[in-house]
């Protein structure tokens, strides 16, 4: 005789089945993919600003202004780490360092999540 009030449902005393482990792994992989994607987009946006600056894009253009503003926000923590006389080198270093850091940290976190 079963003491389960509703037969067919899993009770809390039963260990989780293999389906839960598979779902958890899939969720972790999706989270790792999301972290990688965000890091890649941030680095790509900074790279786009570097490219627009080096190609002497029209600073008055709305798109260029938007890219510059977003890159400034993304690289705000690294602004003026390097103060060079050459403006091109200054922009490459001050925006390139955050781009590389986003890639390293983002992909490192994703790798750590996939290992767990």
């Amino acid at each position: 005789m079963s003491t389960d009030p509703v037969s067919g449902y899993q009770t809390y005393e039963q260990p989780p089945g293999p389906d839960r482990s598979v779902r958890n792994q899939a969720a972790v992989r999706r989270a790792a993919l999301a972290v990688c994607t965000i890091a890649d987009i941030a680095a790509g946006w900074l790279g786009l600003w570097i490219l627009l600056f080096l190609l002497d894009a029209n600073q008055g253009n709305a798109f260029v202004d938007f890219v510059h503003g977003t890159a400034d926000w993304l690289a705000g923590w690294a602004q003026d780490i390097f103060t060079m006389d050459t403006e091109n080198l200054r922009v490459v270093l001050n925006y390139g360092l955050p781009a590389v850091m986003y890639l390293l940290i983002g992909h490192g976190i994703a790798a750590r999540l996939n290992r767990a």
Side-chain angles (χ1 to χ4, degrees), residues 25-57:
Q25 286 177 345
V28 167
R29 289 190 193 283
R30 283 192 303 271
L33 179 63
V35 169
C36 272
T37 302
I38 291 169
D40 291 346
I41 290 170
W45 206 261
L46 291 166
L48 178 61
W49 167 243
I50 292 170
L51 183 66
L52 289 172
F53 184 84
L54 292 177
L55 294 175
D56 201 25

mmCIF file of all heavy atoms in Angstrom, residues 25-57:
data_model
loop_
_atom_site.group_PDB
_atom_site.id
_atom_site.type_symbol
_atom_site.label_atom_id
_atom_site.label_comp_id
_atom_site.label_asym_id
_atom_site.label_seq_id
_atom_site.Cartn_x
_atom_site.Cartn_y
_atom_site.Cartn_z
ATOM 1 N N GLN A 25 23.123 21.088 -16.934
ATOM 2 C CA GLN A 25 24.260 21.261 -17.842
ATOM 3 C C GLN A 25 23.886 22.152 -19.011
ATOM 4 O O GLN A 25 24.677 23.002 -19.429
ATOM 5 C CB GLN A 25 24.748 19.907 -18.346
ATOM 6 C CG GLN A 25 25.505 19.104 -17.325
ATOM 7 C CD GLN A 25 25.909 17.736 -17.860
ATOM 8 O OE1 GLN A 25 25.399 17.286 -18.885
ATOM 9 N NE2 GLN A 25 26.816 17.081 -17.152
ATOM 10 N N ALA A 26 22.693 21.979 -19.534
ATOM 11 C CA ALA A 26 22.248 22.814 -20.653
ATOM 12 C C ALA A 26 22.108 24.267 -20.216
ATOM 13 O O ALA A 26 22.479 25.189 -20.953
ATOM 14 C CB ALA A 26 20.931 22.291 -21.208
ATOM 15 N N ALA A 27 21.612 24.489 -19.010
ATOM 16 C CA ALA A 27 21.465 25.855 -18.506
ATOM 17 C C ALA A 27 22.822 26.509 -18.294
ATOM 18 O O ALA A 27 23.006 27.696 -18.597
ATOM 19 C CB ALA A 27 20.670 25.849 -17.207
ATOM 20 N N VAL A 28 23.774 25.750 -17.791
ATOM 21 C CA VAL A 28 25.122 26.285 -17.575
ATOM 22 C C VAL A 28 25.770 26.622 -18.915
ATOM 23 O O VAL A 28 26.421 27.658 -19.063
ATOM 24 C CB VAL A 28 25.982 25.284 -16.763
ATOM 25 C CG1 VAL A 28 27.447 25.672 -16.798
ATOM 26 C CG2 VAL A 28 25.484 25.205 -15.332
ATOM 27 N N ARG A 29 25.581 25.780 -19.901
ATOM 28 C CA ARG A 29 26.151 26.057 -21.227
ATOM 29 C C ARG A 29 25.515 27.300 -21.856
ATOM 30 O O ARG A 29 26.191 28.091 -22.492
ATOM 31 C CB ARG A 29 25.975 24.851 -22.144
ATOM 32 C CG ARG A 29 26.856 23.690 -21.755
ATOM 33 C CD ARG A 29 26.832 22.616 -22.821
ATOM 34 N NE ARG A 29 27.420 21.383 -22.365
ATOM 35 C CZ ARG A 29 28.729 21.165 -22.250
ATOM 36 N NH1 ARG A 29 29.571 22.109 -22.562
ATOM 37 N NH2 ARG A 29 29.178 20.010 -21.824
ATOM 38 N N ARG A 30 24.208 27.478 -21.663
ATOM 39 C CA ARG A 30 23.548 28.680 -22.175
ATOM 40 C C ARG A 30 24.066 29.923 -21.465
ATOM 41 O O ARG A 30 24.268 30.960 -22.084
ATOM 42 C CB ARG A 30 22.029 28.573 -22.026
ATOM 43 C CG ARG A 30 21.387 27.692 -23.069
ATOM 44 C CD ARG A 30 19.882 27.832 -23.089
ATOM 45 N NE ARG A 30 19.257 27.547 -21.804
ATOM 46 C CZ ARG A 30 18.859 26.353 -21.392
ATOM 47 N NH1 ARG A 30 19.031 25.309 -22.178
ATOM 48 N NH2 ARG A 30 18.298 26.203 -20.218
ATOM 49 N N ALA A 31 24.283 29.830 -20.152
ATOM 50 C CA ALA A 31 24.823 30.962 -19.407
ATOM 51 C C ALA A 31 26.238 31.296 -19.883
ATOM 52 O O ALA A 31 26.588 32.469 -20.049
ATOM 53 C CB ALA A 31 24.827 30.661 -17.914
ATOM 54 N N ALA A 32 27.047 30.262 -20.115
ATOM 55 C CA ALA A 32 28.410 30.482 -20.607
ATOM 56 C C ALA A 32 28.386 31.127 -21.992
ATOM 57 O O ALA A 32 29.176 32.040 -22.271
ATOM 58 C CB ALA A 32 29.177 29.164 -20.647
ATOM 59 N N LEU A 33 27.468 30.679 -22.835
ATOM 60 C CA LEU A 33 27.334 31.275 -24.166
ATOM 61 C C LEU A 33 26.906 32.735 -24.075
ATOM 62 O O LEU A 33 27.408 33.590 -24.807
ATOM 63 C CB LEU A 33 26.342 30.477 -25.004
ATOM 64 C CG LEU A 33 26.093 30.991 -26.413
ATOM 65 C CD1 LEU A 33 27.379 30.935 -27.236
ATOM 66 C CD2 LEU A 33 24.990 30.186 -27.086
ATOM 67 N N ALA A 34 26.012 33.043 -23.146
ATOM 68 C CA ALA A 34 25.564 34.426 -22.962
ATOM 69 C C ALA A 34 26.723 35.313 -22.500
ATOM 70 O O ALA A 34 26.896 36.440 -22.992
ATOM 71 C CB ALA A 34 24.417 34.486 -21.957
ATOM 72 N N VAL A 35 27.532 34.816 -21.572
ATOM 73 C CA VAL A 35 28.682 35.589 -21.084
ATOM 74 C C VAL A 35 29.663 35.839 -22.225
ATOM 75 O O VAL A 35 30.154 36.958 -22.404
ATOM 76 C CB VAL A 35 29.367 34.859 -19.902
ATOM 77 C CG1 VAL A 35 30.698 35.495 -19.557
ATOM 78 C CG2 VAL A 35 28.451 34.850 -18.688
ATOM 79 N N CYS A 36 29.946 34.800 -23.016
ATOM 80 C CA CYS A 36 30.851 34.953 -24.169
ATOM 81 C C CYS A 36 30.301 35.967 -25.162
ATOM 82 O O CYS A 36 31.041 36.806 -25.681
ATOM 83 C CB CYS A 36 31.034 33.619 -24.879
ATOM 84 S SG CYS A 36 32.349 32.621 -24.230
ATOM 85 N N THR A 37 29.016 35.890 -25.432
ATOM 86 C CA THR A 37 28.399 36.787 -26.407
ATOM 87 C C THR A 37 28.474 38.231 -25.950
ATOM 88 O O THR A 37 28.807 39.125 -26.739
ATOM 89 C CB THR A 37 26.934 36.369 -26.656
ATOM 90 O OG1 THR A 37 26.921 35.011 -27.105
ATOM 91 C CG2 THR A 37 26.275 37.256 -27.680
ATOM 92 N N ILE A 38 28.179 38.476 -24.682
ATOM 93 C CA ILE A 38 28.242 39.843 -24.152
ATOM 94 C C ILE A 38 29.669 40.375 -24.212
ATOM 95 O O ILE A 38 29.903 41.525 -24.604
ATOM 96 C CB ILE A 38 27.673 39.886 -22.722
ATOM 97 C CG1 ILE A 38 26.170 39.636 -22.764
ATOM 98 C CG2 ILE A 38 27.991 41.217 -22.047
ATOM 99 C CD1 ILE A 38 25.540 39.386 -21.410
ATOM 100 N N ALA A 39 30.633 39.544 -23.839
ATOM 101 C CA ALA A 39 32.037 39.964 -23.898
ATOM 102 C C ALA A 39 32.467 40.252 -25.331
ATOM 103 O O ALA A 39 33.164 41.244 -25.600
ATOM 104 C CB ALA A 39 32.930 38.893 -23.276
ATOM 105 N N ASP A 40 32.044 39.415 -26.261
ATOM 106 C CA ASP A 40 32.394 39.610 -27.672
ATOM 107 C C ASP A 40 31.777 40.893 -28.234
ATOM 108 O O ASP A 40 32.429 41.622 -28.992
ATOM 109 C CB ASP A 40 31.950 38.416 -28.513
ATOM 110 C CG ASP A 40 32.754 37.162 -28.225
ATOM 111 O OD1 ASP A 40 33.823 37.266 -27.586
ATOM 112 O OD2 ASP A 40 32.304 36.074 -28.643
ATOM 113 N N ILE A 41 30.530 41.154 -27.861
ATOM 114 C CA ILE A 41 29.873 42.376 -28.340
ATOM 115 C C ILE A 41 30.561 43.607 -27.784
ATOM 116 O O ILE A 41 30.807 44.578 -28.512
ATOM 117 C CB ILE A 41 28.371 42.354 -27.980
ATOM 118 C CG1 ILE A 41 27.653 41.308 -28.831
ATOM 119 C CG2 ILE A 41 27.739 43.732 -28.169
ATOM 120 C CD1 ILE A 41 26.223 41.033 -28.406
ATOM 121 N N ALA A 42 30.904 43.596 -26.497
ATOM 122 C CA ALA A 42 31.585 44.741 -25.895
ATOM 123 C C ALA A 42 32.936 44.974 -26.567
ATOM 124 O O ALA A 42 33.283 46.112 -26.927
ATOM 125 C CB ALA A 42 31.770 44.523 -24.393
ATOM 126 N N ALA A 43 33.705 43.913 -26.770
ATOM 127 C CA ALA A 43 35.013 44.045 -27.411
ATOM 128 C C ALA A 43 34.858 44.488 -28.866
ATOM 129 O O ALA A 43 35.637 45.309 -29.359
ATOM 130 C CB ALA A 43 35.776 42.721 -27.335
ATOM 131 N N GLY A 44 33.859 43.955 -29.543
ATOM 132 C CA GLY A 44 33.610 44.348 -30.930
ATOM 133 C C GLY A 44 33.231 45.810 -31.056
ATOM 134 O O GLY A 44 33.652 46.508 -31.987
ATOM 135 N N TRP A 45 32.437 46.297 -30.107
ATOM 136 C CA TRP A 45 32.030 47.704 -30.126
ATOM 137 C C TRP A 45 33.244 48.610 -29.926
ATOM 138 O O TRP A 45 33.391 49.626 -30.609
ATOM 139 C CB TRP A 45 30.991 47.944 -29.033
ATOM 140 C CG TRP A 45 30.097 49.083 -29.345
ATOM 141 C CD1 TRP A 45 30.206 50.350 -28.867
ATOM 142 C CD2 TRP A 45 28.979 49.100 -30.228
ATOM 143 N NE1 TRP A 45 29.212 51.125 -29.395
ATOM 144 C CE2 TRP A 45 28.441 50.384 -30.232
ATOM 145 C CE3 TRP A 45 28.375 48.126 -31.016
ATOM 146 C CZ2 TRP A 45 27.348 50.743 -30.991
ATOM 147 C CZ3 TRP A 45 27.273 48.476 -31.758
ATOM 148 C CH2 TRP A 45 26.776 49.771 -31.748
ATOM 149 N N LEU A 46 34.117 48.231 -28.995
ATOM 150 C CA LEU A 46 35.341 49.008 -28.779
ATOM 151 C C LEU A 46 36.242 48.951 -30.007
ATOM 152 O O LEU A 46 36.838 49.960 -30.399
ATOM 153 C CB LEU A 46 36.075 48.501 -27.537
ATOM 154 C CG LEU A 46 35.363 48.782 -26.217
ATOM 155 C CD1 LEU A 46 35.971 47.967 -25.096
ATOM 156 C CD2 LEU A 46 35.393 50.264 -25.888
ATOM 157 N N GLY A 47 36.333 47.778 -30.613
ATOM 158 C CA GLY A 47 37.122 47.643 -31.840
ATOM 159 C C GLY A 47 36.555 48.477 -32.975
ATOM 160 O O GLY A 47 37.308 49.062 -33.768
ATOM 161 N N LEU A 48 35.222 48.551 -33.047
ATOM 162 C CA LEU A 48 34.589 49.376 -34.081
ATOM 163 C C LEU A 48 34.937 50.842 -33.881
ATOM 164 O O LEU A 48 35.242 51.546 -34.847
ATOM 165 C CB LEU A 48 33.073 49.188 -34.055
ATOM 166 C CG LEU A 48 32.275 50.024 -35.052
ATOM 167 C CD1 LEU A 48 32.679 49.689 -36.487
ATOM 168 C CD2 LEU A 48 30.778 49.799 -34.831
ATOM 169 N N TRP A 49 34.945 51.312 -32.632
ATOM 170 C CA TRP A 49 35.304 52.710 -32.385
ATOM 171 C C TRP A 49 36.764 52.964 -32.771
ATOM 172 O O TRP A 49 37.093 53.981 -33.374
ATOM 173 C CB TRP A 49 35.063 53.131 -30.943
ATOM 174 C CG TRP A 49 35.718 54.431 -30.648
ATOM 175 C CD1 TRP A 49 36.701 54.672 -29.756
ATOM 176 C CD2 TRP A 49 35.478 55.691 -31.309
ATOM 177 N NE1 TRP A 49 37.088 55.990 -29.820
ATOM 178 C CE2 TRP A 49 36.348 56.638 -30.764
ATOM 179 C CE3 TRP A 49 34.618 56.096 -32.319
ATOM 180 C CZ2 TRP A 49 36.376 57.959 -31.185
ATOM 181 C CZ3 TRP A 49 34.642 57.415 -32.738
ATOM 182 C CH2 TRP A 49 35.508 58.327 -32.168
ATOM 183 N N ILE A 50 37.652 52.039 -32.425
ATOM 184 C CA ILE A 50 39.057 52.196 -32.792
ATOM 185 C C ILE A 50 39.187 52.301 -34.308
ATOM 186 O O ILE A 50 39.893 53.177 -34.828
ATOM 187 C CB ILE A 50 39.907 51.029 -32.234
ATOM 188 C CG1 ILE A 50 39.974 51.092 -30.708
ATOM 189 C CG2 ILE A 50 41.313 51.053 -32.827
ATOM 190 C CD1 ILE A 50 40.575 49.851 -30.071
ATOM 191 N N LEU A 51 38.501 51.426 -35.016
ATOM 192 C CA LEU A 51 38.548 51.432 -36.474
ATOM 193 C C LEU A 51 37.997 52.740 -37.040
ATOM 194 O O LEU A 51 38.616 53.347 -37.927
ATOM 195 C CB LEU A 51 37.764 50.243 -37.028
ATOM 196 C CG LEU A 51 37.765 50.059 -38.529
ATOM 197 C CD1 LEU A 51 39.179 49.713 -39.011
ATOM 198 C CD2 LEU A 51 36.791 48.975 -38.926
ATOM 199 N N LEU A 52 36.855 53.192 -36.536
ATOM 200 C CA LEU A 52 36.283 54.450 -37.020
ATOM 201 C C LEU A 52 37.212 55.621 -36.752
ATOM 202 O O LEU A 52 37.358 56.523 -37.580
ATOM 203 C CB LEU A 52 34.916 54.700 -36.373
ATOM 204 C CG LEU A 52 33.776 53.793 -36.840
ATOM 205 C CD1 LEU A 52 32.540 54.024 -35.989
ATOM 206 C CD2 LEU A 52 33.483 54.002 -38.304
ATOM 207 N N PHE A 53 37.856 55.620 -35.593
ATOM 208 C CA PHE A 53 38.781 56.704 -35.264
ATOM 209 C C PHE A 53 39.995 56.688 -36.178
ATOM 210 O O PHE A 53 40.411 57.730 -36.694
ATOM 211 C CB PHE A 53 39.218 56.615 -33.796
ATOM 212 C CG PHE A 53 40.081 57.755 -33.381
ATOM 213 C CD1 PHE A 53 39.513 58.946 -32.967
ATOM 214 C CD2 PHE A 53 41.464 57.670 -33.418
ATOM 215 C CE1 PHE A 53 40.302 60.021 -32.600
ATOM 216 C CE2 PHE A 53 42.259 58.724 -33.050
ATOM 217 C CZ PHE A 53 41.679 59.909 -32.636
ATOM 218 N N LEU A 54 40.573 55.496 -36.373
ATOM 219 C CA LEU A 54 41.769 55.399 -37.208
ATOM 220 C C LEU A 54 41.477 55.733 -38.668
ATOM 221 O O LEU A 54 42.356 56.232 -39.375
ATOM 222 C CB LEU A 54 42.387 54.004 -37.094
ATOM 223 C CG LEU A 54 42.988 53.656 -35.733
ATOM 224 C CD1 LEU A 54 43.493 52.219 -35.742
ATOM 225 C CD2 LEU A 54 44.089 54.617 -35.345
ATOM 226 N N LEU A 55 40.256 55.455 -39.119
ATOM 227 C CA LEU A 55 39.877 55.782 -40.493
ATOM 228 C C LEU A 55 39.362 57.206 -40.620
ATOM 229 O O LEU A 55 38.887 57.603 -41.685
ATOM 230 C CB LEU A 55 38.828 54.788 -40.998
ATOM 231 C CG LEU A 55 39.305 53.347 -41.145
ATOM 232 C CD1 LEU A 55 38.156 52.439 -41.538
ATOM 233 C CD2 LEU A 55 40.446 53.259 -42.138
ATOM 234 N N ASP A 56 39.455 57.968 -39.544
ATOM 235 C CA ASP A 56 39.070 59.386 -39.514
ATOM 236 C C ASP A 56 37.607 59.571 -39.933
ATOM 237 O O ASP A 56 37.292 60.393 -40.802
ATOM 238 C CB ASP A 56 40.005 60.198 -40.407
ATOM 239 C CG ASP A 56 39.995 61.674 -40.043
ATOM 240 O OD1 ASP A 56 39.673 61.989 -38.886
ATOM 241 O OD2 ASP A 56 40.298 62.495 -40.930
ATOM 242 N N ALA A 57 36.715 58.812 -39.289
ATOM 243 C CA ALA A 57 35.286 58.916 -39.585
ATOM 244 C C ALA A 57 34.767 60.282 -39.144
ATOM 245 O O ALA A 57 35.310 60.915 -38.238
ATOM 246 C CB ALA A 57 34.525 57.810 -38.861
#
